[in-house]
Amino acid sequence: MALLKVKFDQKKRVKLAQGLWLMNWLSVLAGIVIFSLGLFLKIELRKRSDVMNNSESHFVPNSLIVMGVLSCVFNSLAGKICYDALDPAKYAKWKPWLKPYLAVCVLFNIALFLVTLCCFLMRGSLESTLAHGLKNGMKYYRDTDTPGRCFMKKTIDMLQIEFRCCGNNGFRDWFEIQWISNRYLDFSSKEVKDRIKSNVDGRYLVDGVPFSCCNPSSPRPCIQYQLTNNSAHYSYDHQTEELNLWVNGCRAALLSYYSSLMNSMGAVTLLVWLFEVTITIGLRYLHTALEGVSNPEDPECESEGWLLEKSVSETWKAFLESLKKLGKSNQVEAEGADAGQAPEAG
Amino acid sequence: MAPVLPLVLPLQPRIRLAQGLWLLSWLLALAGGLTLLCSGHLLVQLWHLSTFLSPSCPFAALPQVALAAGTMALGTGLVGAGASRASLDAAQYPPWRKVLGPLLVAGTAAGGGLLVFALGLTLALPGSLDTGLEEGLGTALAHYKDTEVPGHCHAKRLLDELQLRHHCCGRHGYKDWFGVQWVSSRYLDPSDQDVVDRIQSNVEGLYLIDGVPFSCCNPHSPRPCLQSRLSDPHAHPLFDPRQPNLNLWTQGCHAALLGHLQSLASTLGSTLTVTFMLQILVLLGLRYLQTALEGLGGVIDGEGEAQGYLFPSGLKDMLKTAWLQAGVAHRPAPEEAPAEEAPPKEGLPEA
């Protein structure tokens, strides 16, 4: 009992081959799209690798790039096969390769599906990388004189301006680190000395934030320093003031940006995967229909196409049997060799 | 009545002309599309910057005219591609015969005219940007503090975003902020002696400070941004007010916006030039193809040599014939009818 049998006459076979040829070339375009999506994601991750500790995983964009290239290669090959399928002479040279090629296609489709799943699931690793990277970035904000870290201030400032965020989880993160370099502190001032003595590590901590945290939508000029001191500013209440600084933390902002990017890429890859599965099924039908042409001299005859020759369970049993036979034939050969040697010895 | 600029076109060169014309027409359509995109982009940029350009500035006319010219060029390109494709196929050409003449006239007059006008505007208008930006930025600066006045409440946000995006400060430099009250009076403490002193120190009663808004800050500076007391050399340790070049953006927004808009206008100008040259080539080629095929009586594959020309006779003769035709059309009809009947009667006995 073949699985999903369909009858094919000459016209239907030709139509199937032509349709598959077109779909394969469209799929090559889709492969190029996936390749460029992977490249775009890689560039975006590279741009912000400073705030991700340079340890972010490039698995998703790399796999998208590889899948895009493989898709182009396989589908152009399949297009060529479909083009030749209409000519019995040319098709004869492809015949022995078709079954292994279909097996490779099935594996490729499985891999593509796994990559699609990864696009949706990579959020968690990105979150922890961002948390560590931003914490370090803020720690090195003041090290504008240290070679290797002198760009961190500019990176964090530009990040906060572009993504409309402040600090790791919120603006209070800036209260816990010294973000003003010692070089610009007046150590003769009493206020500076008091602040440095007030904590164990001798850091100059202020209840202030850098200018890049300021929100342009605020109706009053930005208040950056003495944020928790209501009396320092006229008509200011730090509990109710919402528009003065950006409320979002940069971790949440970056995470949502990359999540939306990867989700949309995952959606596109899912569509391409469905398309590829359709092509593989069509190619299988074409293969079995052309195999079923009983009389090679008469191309007009009808044939049958199917997905699997027997039902799923029988095919699976036959597959296991062939594996066992492979193992047994090795054993028999070994025994035969021993038996052969024994009479010689005897 | 000699034709103007005649060109002998046997069959093979005619086919080559049609094929080359097809390619040029698609290139023209592409160039027209590119012009559309450039002018659309410029229009969007102008819409975003509308607060900083005074309403009387005529610069907005440039992208609008370029949009129309680009559409005409796109249309001409598509028509040219269709006509040259049809001229290679005897079955498709007859419907094109009738429309090609008027289409060519429309293409030359409207399309060519619009392109020339747009090119002229590209050369003339950017000069008016100077005064437009001067007025617009001055108004924006003055209204920075009016975050609660209806009609101007967005000036602060827009000016801050402009300074952050274009990396500029003030109109021509950061000192412009010293001459404007940019802190809203609502947030000034009337009991503070310093505030009262400042307000009384000038004629208009403005609260002027030697400080700038946060959006003037330059992230490339190695030290946290210094925004206030910029003229006082003792206010901040290690800060020399004579050299604030890394602390704030040094460029004024006038120069930044002028450069930005002028570069967009020059890109648009170069696409318009390319479109114009392609349009001339396509129109000329179509005219030669049309007249050559007319000479053969509309038969595409005629092996005979046909002559293509721009105009059937010189300019003076053309005007004379046009004038005569207009005169003939105004004469009363009955006089024409016997005159028309007489020649056919003479023709029949001959046949």
Side-chain angles (χ1 to χ4, degrees), chain A residues 132-144:
Chain A
H132 283 126
L134 277 171
K135 209 162 167 195
N136 284 336
M138 283 164 62
K139 226 172 40 178
Y140 302 143
Y141 185 87
R142 62 186 167 112
D143 293 334
T144 45

Side-chain angles (χ1 to χ4, degrees), chain A residues 144 153-154 183 216 218-219 224, chain B residues 147 156 220-222 227 238:
Chain A
T144 45
K153 175 181 181 296
K154 172 174 75 83
R183 194 172 175 219
S218 163
Q224 287 174 244
Chain B
T147 44
K156 176 183 182 294
H220 296 86
S221 161
Q227 292 171 240
L238 292 175

